[in-house]
Amino acid sequence: MTKIAVLVGSLRKESFSRKVAAAITGLEKNLSFDFVDIGKISYFNEDLEANPPADWTDYRNRIIAADAVLFVTPEYVRSVPAVLKNAVDVGSRPYGQGVLMGKPAAIVSTSLGAIGAFGANHHLRQSLASLDMPTLGQPECYIGNTGRLFDDDGELVDEGTREFLATFAKSFKEFVEKMVRPGSELHLLERTIA
């Protein structure tokens, strides 16, 4: 089964980004999802690269074990939260050999407002392009008005959003399967960390 590492850009327990990510995982049964707690990753510091902290190694190994990465993020000051950028930075190193290099990805951005965190989505897309991560182009996934989409138990109750997320999840599954099928270029680029 295709395995997806899920990086949620909000650490808040009742995060709407986390609720959207959970909703996506419930809509695509042919994928397995590994929610990675990026709040446990130490800040990137180049001085630590020669002897990386255990939390960097654990995180990097989980990315290696995944076939692709799903980023689900809110927008903070027209960009991604610092905790998510730190996860990208740690996963991008050592330079030219990072575990995110070439890994298929998709981005979902969320907001309480109507715009759906457009700025964060595209800012993150720039970082992923610099890591040569093939990123799902369509459908683009901006989820706005998140405060109205879930019930008190955190269940997605908006049928239009459910249908859209199901389409997104199916498209992402097909995208990843094309990228990681045996014999494909990306399949041959598997890396390990000593």
Side-chain angles (χ1 to χ4, degrees):
M1 184 176 283
T2 304
K3 185 174 183 180
I4 308 297
V6 182
L7 305 186
V8 178
S10 173
L11 302 181
R12 190 171 66 87
K13 183 179 176 183
E14 294 299 322
S15 158
F16 288 114
S17 292
R18 185 168 308 283
K19 291 176 183 178
V20 168
I24 292 169
T25 66
L27 293 169
E28 184 48 68
K29 303 302 182 193
N30 296 312
L31 298 173
S32 71
F33 295 89
D34 176 23
F35 278 76
V36 179
D37 183 356
I38 62 174
K40 293 183 177 179
I41 303 170
S42 304
Y43 290 127
F44 177 73
N45 179 341
E46 193 172 356
D47 292 344
L48 302 177
E49 283 197 294
N51 187 21
D55 58 84
W56 286 14
T57 302
D58 292 344
Y59 161 64
R60 288 169 172 171
N61 285 333
R62 287 174 76 178
I63 298 298
I64 288 170
D67 296 301
V69 183
L70 174 63
F71 296 88
V72 184
T73 185
E75 181 172 300
Y76 291 2
V77 197
R78 297 290 184 260
S79 186
V80 296
V83 68
L84 182 56
K85 182 59 167 68
N86 184 60
V88 171
D89 291 345
V90 170
S92 74
R93 303 294 290 216
Y95 182 76
Q97 303 170 35
V99 295
L100 291 173
M101 296 290 296
K103 191 78 73 169
I107 301 170
V108 177
S109 55
T110 70
S111 71
L112 289 170
I115 297 176
F118 179 89
N121 192 303
H122 285 268
H123 206 190
L124 179 56
R125 199 169 289 271
Q126 289 178 340
S127 294
L128 303 190
S130 76
L131 297 175
D132 200 25
M133 294 180 76
T135 305
L136 180 67
Q138 293 295 327
E140 292 179 294
C141 197
Y142 312 101
I143 306 299
N145 301 308
T146 52
R148 303 179 197 164
L149 303 179
F150 300 90
D151 65 17
D152 292 340
D153 296 322
E155 295 297 317
L156 180 62
V157 293
D158 185 87
E159 194 54 37
T161 302
R162 180 186 310 282
E163 290 173 9
F164 174 73
L165 289 177
T167 299
F168 171 83
K170 182 176 185 286
S171 297
F172 185 41
K173 177 184 75 74
E174 292 169 353
F175 176 75
V176 173
E177 286 173 349
K178 279 192 284 188
M179 294 292 178
V180 299
R181 70 183 180 276
S184 72
E185 246 180 83
L186 289 173
H187 187 265
L188 300 174
L189 290 176
E190 292 180 346
R191 287 179 271 284
T192 59
I193 293 180

